Amino acid sequence: VGSEMCIRDRYAGFWIRVWANLIDLIILIITYIIFSWLMLLAASDTLSLNIYYLDVNKGIHRGSSFLTFWDIFFHNLLPFIATIWFWLRFQATPGKMATNLRLVDAKNGKKISTKQSIGRYFAQIISIIPFGLGYFWIVIDKKNQSWHDKLAGTVVIRSRHFDKVVFEKLRDNPKET
């Protein structure tokens, strides 16, 4: 097949993907701690005015929206931007890179589109809401796809080589062979 890589049992399974996600989570937590620490050092006076505080006589109050902006940025916007950027630029998050995994289009084995990456990111909600069943689906699926992979038309493979990926045709359908 030359420089093309034939994918058979090369789909990334459940446990390797769990490890990749744990690595990503650890990186995100460390990043959050570092940025929080830097913010505290750089703007400790400003931050002290913006925290929630309890006034014994009047209940809970909130300062200006400075912390609210950073809270939204670090908890929602930064993970979204970073994940989409890594998927589009490297076909993997740092955790997937460390575990030798790559995210590709399920039909043609090429890089995923921006639309697929954004769809996959938000489809993770569907995978996690019913007790994480969409993630556990990886265990029983032929291509080890989670629900968000299926919805976005993606698959995670065990390869960091950027050769053309050729998916093996299913033997069930004689028209495709």
Side-chain angles (χ1 to χ4, degrees):
V1 183
S3 68
E4 297 179 350
M5 183 180 82
C6 191
I7 302 297
R8 292 189 183 132
D9 295 323
R10 304 281 303 187
Y11 298 110
F14 179 77
W15 288 111
I16 191 79
R17 291 174 68 173
V18 167
W19 283 114
N21 283 327
L22 285 174
I23 292 168
D24 289 336
L25 181 61
I26 290 167
I27 291 169
L28 188 63
I29 289 169
I30 290 169
T31 303
Y32 181 74
I33 289 169
I34 290 170
F35 277 112
S36 296
W37 184 72
L38 290 173
M39 279 181 37
L40 283 171
L41 285 178
S44 59
D45 291 337
T46 306
L47 288 173
S48 65
L49 300 174
N50 296 311
I51 59 174
Y52 289 90
Y53 60 92
L54 176 62
D55 183 337
V56 177
N57 298 322
K58 298 179 183 171
I60 297 176
H61 298 278
R62 187 186 69 146
S64 71
S65 60
F66 181 76
L67 278 185
T68 305
F69 167 78
W70 286 108
D71 189 49
I72 290 169
F73 179 77
F74 281 115
H75 286 110
N76 301 318
L77 201 54
L78 182 63
F80 171 76
I81 292 168
T83 301
I84 300 302
W85 184 79
F86 273 105
W87 285 346
L88 294 174
R89 177 72 171 92
F90 301 106
Q91 294 180 277
T93 56
K96 281 185 178 55
M97 286 187 262
T99 53
N100 202 31
L101 303 179
R102 184 164 56 118
L103 181 64
V104 297
D105 186 287
K107 290 179 184 166
N108 59 27
K110 295 181 181 177
K111 288 178 87 169
I112 64 172
S113 68
T114 302
K115 182 179 173 183
Q116 281 177 300
S117 63
I118 293 170
R120 185 178 193 272
Y121 186 88
F122 288 110
Q124 290 178 100
I125 296 167
I126 296 168
S127 286
I128 204 160
I129 285 179
F131 307 106
L133 288 176
Y135 284 96
F136 289 112
W137 195 261
I138 295 167
V139 175
I140 62 171
D141 189 76
K142 231 184 246 187
K143 294 181 179 179
N144 295 352
Q145 287 178 295
S146 62
W147 290 352
H148 54 278
D149 284 319
K150 288 190 172 297
L151 289 168
T154 61
V155 68
V156 179
I157 61 172
R158 289 175 159 269
S159 172
R160 291 296 305 151
H161 299 286
F162 292 99
D163 297 337
K164 182 179 178 188
V165 177
V166 178
F167 293 108
E168 182 179 302
K169 301 282 186 196
L170 296 175
R171 291 187 177 90
D172 308 332
N173 192 349
K175 292 178 187 175
E176 292 185 21
T177 54

